[in-house]
Amino acid sequence: MQSLLTHYSIRPKKNRGQNFLTDTAVLRREVACADIAASDTVLEIGAGIGNLTQLLLERAGQVVAVEQDRQFTPCLKELQRRYGHLKVIWRDALAVDFPPFDKAVANLPYQVALPIVFKLLNQRFGRAVLMLPKRLAQRLCATVGQPGYSRIGVTVGRLAQVEWIEQVDKDAFFPRPEVESALVLIKRTKPKFAVPSDDFFRQVLESLFARRQARVQQIVPAAALASLSKKIKNKPVYTVTPREFGEITRALWDRN
């Protein structure tokens, strides 16, 4: 790994959260969880030095790698020379329109991991295997009543099935990151329930989870409470199910 960085004169940039996953066993498990077929187009975000990219190229029909940092140009151009089915988009992942893809596999830049997850969920795909900060991964996977249960998990869970794969040791990266990491599997699904507006749904969740210990009837205006069941009214926010949050959202929407 050190020789690769030296050969290409690459210096990990702390301000961009560049901590490269170098443990080959973890990389191979990450790719295996994506269940990539030869016909698949795979999206990778933050390709970096290309060690994950190469493993994807060995399985996929096409790999589209999104990378903003031009210091990785020599690494990725070398891969393009060796593999004719690699396309590199030199853009900020949050600013570019993603092309159609079947699977996504990425060790995401941690500072922008959550907005990228939300952006991915605006696309149609089968599954995504993502390396995330452990705390974010826990929030995405937490179910009703668990400490990490949050507006983020409810929002994502309405659109996808999220599964914890494994925690990844800090020593699997270079340089060693300050935060712990985890792999998650996201399977895109049809929305599990309808809401009148995605933005309004997120606003309602943010407002309710700001007082997660309070009961619904202590937060929701009386006019909207009238259409909710007694069971929902009496629940503390952290015990409300995603579908019940949908009911609360519709009640508040109808009141406006």
Side-chain angles (χ1 to χ4, degrees), residues 74-136:
C75 307
L76 298 180
K77 280 193 175 296
E78 173 62 19
L79 282 178
Q80 285 184 303
R81 186 185 66 78
R82 291 163 52 195
Y83 298 91
H85 53 295
L86 170 61
K87 177 181 179 181
V88 181
I89 299 175
W90 294 101
R91 292 284 304 278
D92 179 349
L94 290 175
V96 70
D97 291 332
F98 294 150
F101 62 96
D102 304 296
K103 311 268 173 72
V105 184
N107 301 321
L108 293 181
Y110 285 1
Q111 299 98 320
V112 292
L114 183 57
I116 289 177
V117 169
F118 282 130
K119 183 170 180 174
L120 285 172
L121 289 171
N122 287 329
Q123 318 295 314
R124 291 185 177 183
F125 62 91
R127 56 174 54 196
V129 179
L130 305 176
M131 183 75 72
L132 302 171
K134 179 184 174 183
R135 185 176 177 185
L136 175 57

Side-chain angles (χ1 to χ4, degrees), residues 137-195:
Q138 288 173 324
R139 294 171 75 187
L140 291 178
C141 295
T143 56
V144 181
Q146 293 183 336
Y149 187 56
S150 67
R151 62 183 178 86
I152 292 170
V154 174
T155 303
V156 173
R158 189 176 78 89
L159 303 173
Q161 177 183 338
V162 186
E163 301 175 14
W164 179 277
I165 299 175
E166 64 177 279
Q167 180 174 333
V168 180
D169 193 273
K170 292 181 181 180
D171 290 332
F173 298 85
F174 178 85
R176 198 172 187 267
E178 296 178 1
V179 301
E180 296 181 317
S181 303
L183 278 172
V184 301
L185 170 62
I186 299 177
K187 297 178 182 178
R188 187 72 165 85
T189 64
K190 291 182 179 180
K192 296 181 177 67
F193 53 90
V195 294

Side-chain angles (χ1 to χ4, degrees), residues 231-251:
K231 177 184 176 183
I232 294 177
K233 294 176 189 178
N234 288 330
K235 279 190 170 187
V237 170
Y238 72 93
T239 67
V240 175
T241 69
R243 285 187 181 276
E244 288 170 341
F245 280 120
E247 291 183 44
I248 296 169
T249 300
R250 286 191 293 274

